[in-house]
Amino acid sequence: MSTQSRVPVTILTGFLGSGKTTLLNRILTEEHGKRIAVIENEFGEVGIDQALVINADEEVFEMSNGCICCTVRGDLIRVLNNLNKRRDKFDYVLVETTGLADPGPVAQTFFMDDELRAEYALDGIVTLVDAAHIEQQLGRSDESTEQIAFADVLLLNKTDLVPDETLDRVESRIRDMNRMARVVRSERANVPVDAVLDLGAFDLDQVLERRPTFLEPEYPFEWTGVYSLATGRYELSLAEGPDPSMSLVVLPDQGTDDAALREGAEWCVREYAEPSMAIQPGEEIPAGKHVNLQLDSPGRKSFFIDIAAPVRVGLFTQHLPEEFDLQLRNADGESFKMGSNFCSEPDCIEEDAGTRRIKGAAVAAQAERTWVAQHEHDDEVGSISIEVDGDADPEKLNAWLGQLLRDRGVDIFRMKGFISVAGESRRFVFQGVHMLFDGQPDREWGDLPRRNQLVFIGRNLDGQSMREGFEACLI
């Protein structure tokens, strides 16, 4: 299409009874002002309400609110090409899969057919999840697991049928299975049309704008605060929180810029891999060691950090500081709430910095960073993230990707990211569904650091082997 942009397409999926047809009927009846073509698979559990149809004599027919509806009676490519003859009637396409379908082949259609790629652009995959039944379905159905793994948006439906604690547990579980996806709660599939359309999920820049940490690897900690501490003794105080313990590492000589924080994070990953040392309330926290603060006693607990010489330290904590009201106190008893410039004294000023600890803002965090926290993979489905600086040799990269997709493509549901290719001034952006891979040079690197960030979601993926394989491609 030389004079028109490509038509965005959303794939709608979900297990039987999750509410897909309810959502479709809402879209086809509500006055949302959008011109949407809906492609419905006739094997769905309940069809579109025929009372809404203006003319059902053809495969493609109009609805009462101006939308267009199609029924898949054959090949999806043929239906899309047929629909394209009415290009003046719609601006968007919504494709429903059957409740027992793997959405992968439908998504692959938009990678495989050159004519379709010229006319249509895959915008995102939306999966409806039945909050009342998904836990049982996950235990006995590969399809429900794969539908969740493919999603860019997880519409957690029927929230009115389960208690809050069940709903929170279900949401946590599906988030663990697919950290790429955004979770939206709903009753009777009642969500704004914008919640399922115009997602930009296959536009990496849009994804990163909404979620800057999207491509980052997972870490065994959630937060880092960097503090300049003078010589002396410091008290780390924690209130009761969500866990009876909390791991952390106090890392000396921690820098404050992004590169230094990532370097410190990688060092702490290795330290976190070692068994933790249990620290009881009142005991000292050694520097550079993975420790586990014991918090099972009631009330606030205090631990101590001794500083032999002025130093800038990084605290890499398993949980966010606000979860335990984490506070740092100096020997004079002044309180500095971690993660802010809070000081308990009204005269928080620097006094004789050469001989005593600096008060107030000088002890507040110079830099803070939150990280994507590690989680346990559910049903053997999870995500692998790779983040590393450097340039990839194009021949080695092609060989590695080809071998990976040949060997594990069936188990890789989704992949996306960008790569710094040697000799190329632009970053290389890629998307993939199963064994189909689509990539192209994007915008110029400019002054940005040449960094590689890749995310894979799949079943039984060997993260260490994949990371080593990619790192072997670097020059």
Side-chain angles (χ1 to χ4, degrees), residues 200-471:
F202 282 78
D203 181 329
L204 196 58
D205 283 331
Q206 287 192 41
V207 175
L208 289 171
E209 184 177 341
R210 292 194 301 267
R211 295 174 55 192
T213 62
F214 171 70
L215 291 174
E216 289 188 358
E218 297 174 350
Y219 290 96
F221 38 80
E222 284 194 72
W223 181 81
T224 297
V226 183
Y227 293 84
S228 287
L229 300 180
T231 303
R233 188 170 176 82
Y234 291 81
E235 176 188 2
L236 194 64
S237 173
L238 299 90
E240 295 181 54
D243 287 336
S245 65
M246 186 173 74
S247 293
L248 63 81
V249 171
V250 177
L251 184 61
D253 301 318
Q254 174 60 57
T256 57
D257 61 29
D258 185 67
L261 286 166
R262 293 199 307 119
E263 183 179 351
E266 293 301 323
W267 190 94
C268 286
V269 166
R270 295 189 290 272
E271 185 58 36
Y272 261 87
E274 298 296 323
S276 61
M277 176 190 307
I279 304 293
Q280 301 294 333
E283 294 183 346
E284 181 182 344
I285 301 173
K289 296 293 183 182
H290 178 205
V291 303
N292 197 19
L293 306 183
Q294 303 302 297
L295 307 174
D296 49 358
S297 57
R300 295 194 71 89
K301 276 73 64 176
S302 295
F303 306 84
F304 294 92
I305 303 172
D306 285 334
I307 303 298
V311 67
R312 191 163 52 197
V313 301
L315 270 64
F316 291 78
T317 62
Q318 179 187 6
H319 296 290
L320 297 173
E322 55 265 27
E323 294 183 73
F324 292 86
D325 188 28
L326 210 63
Q327 295 181 21
L328 185 65
R329 301 174 184 273
N330 66 23
D332 296 326
E334 297 147 355
S335 174
F336 306 98
K337 185 163 293 212
M338 312 216 8
S340 72
N341 292 331
F342 171 85
C343 176
S344 63
E345 300 292 332
D347 57 345
C348 289
I349 59 174
E350 179 176 334
E351 294 183 359
D352 193 7
T355 60
R356 60 179 298 180
R357 280 183 287 281
I358 301 172
K359 294 182 180 181
V363 183
Q366 289 184 300
E368 295 182 71
R369 181 72 143 78
T370 56
W371 310 93
V372 179
Q374 264 178 8
H375 57 269
E376 295 295 327
H377 295 326
D378 192 295
D379 292 327
E380 301 177 334
V381 171
S383 61
I384 298 296
S385 298
I386 301 172
E387 181 180 15
V388 61
D389 295 336
D391 292 336
D393 179 276
E395 292 186 5
K396 293 181 179 179
L397 177 64
N398 285 334
W400 174 71
L401 278 172
Q403 188 68 42
L404 177 66
L405 295 180
R406 283 192 298 271
D407 293 346
R408 301 306 307 274
V410 174
D411 294 324
I412 296 174
F413 304 132
R414 293 289 299 277
M415 54 185 157
K416 61 177 66 177
F418 57 84
I419 299 172
S420 174
V421 178
E424 173 59 65
S425 63
R426 296 170 294 174
R427 65 178 190 173
F428 183 82
V429 178
F430 71 93
Q431 298 270 1
V433 177
H434 276 323
M435 287 169 280
L436 293 183
F437 178 92
D438 178 58
Q440 58 188 353
D442 186 44
R443 58 183 171 84
E444 298 284 337
W445 282 104
D447 296 330
L448 295 174
R450 295 179 68 102
R451 180 176 302 162
N452 305 277
Q453 291 185 285
L454 307 83
V455 173
F456 300 84
I457 288 184
R459 178 181 284 113
N460 296 322
L461 300 182
D462 185 341
Q464 181 176 348
S465 174
M466 293 171 66
R467 291 186 185 95
E468 292 173 352
F470 179 77
E471 289 174 357

Side-chain angles (χ1 to χ4, degrees), residues 9-15 18-20 23 27 92-98 103 107 122-129 146-156 178 181-184 186 189 191-202 414:
V9 180
T10 289
I11 297 172
L12 181 65
T13 188
F15 207 65
S18 61
K20 296 190 302 302
L23 177 60
I27 292 172
Y92 207 99
V93 173
L94 185 63
V95 180
E96 179 214 13
T97 72
T98 71
L122 188 57
D123 183 68
I125 300 173
V126 176
T127 298
L128 273 86
V129 176
E146 292 176 6
Q147 289 166 357
I148 290 173
F150 272 105
D152 299 296
V153 171
L154 290 165
L155 199 60
L156 185 55
N178 182 351
R182 177 167 58 96
V183 178
V184 178
S186 65
V191 294
V193 175
D194 290 341
V196 296
L197 303 183
D198 296 317
L199 303 178
F202 282 78
R414 293 289 299 277

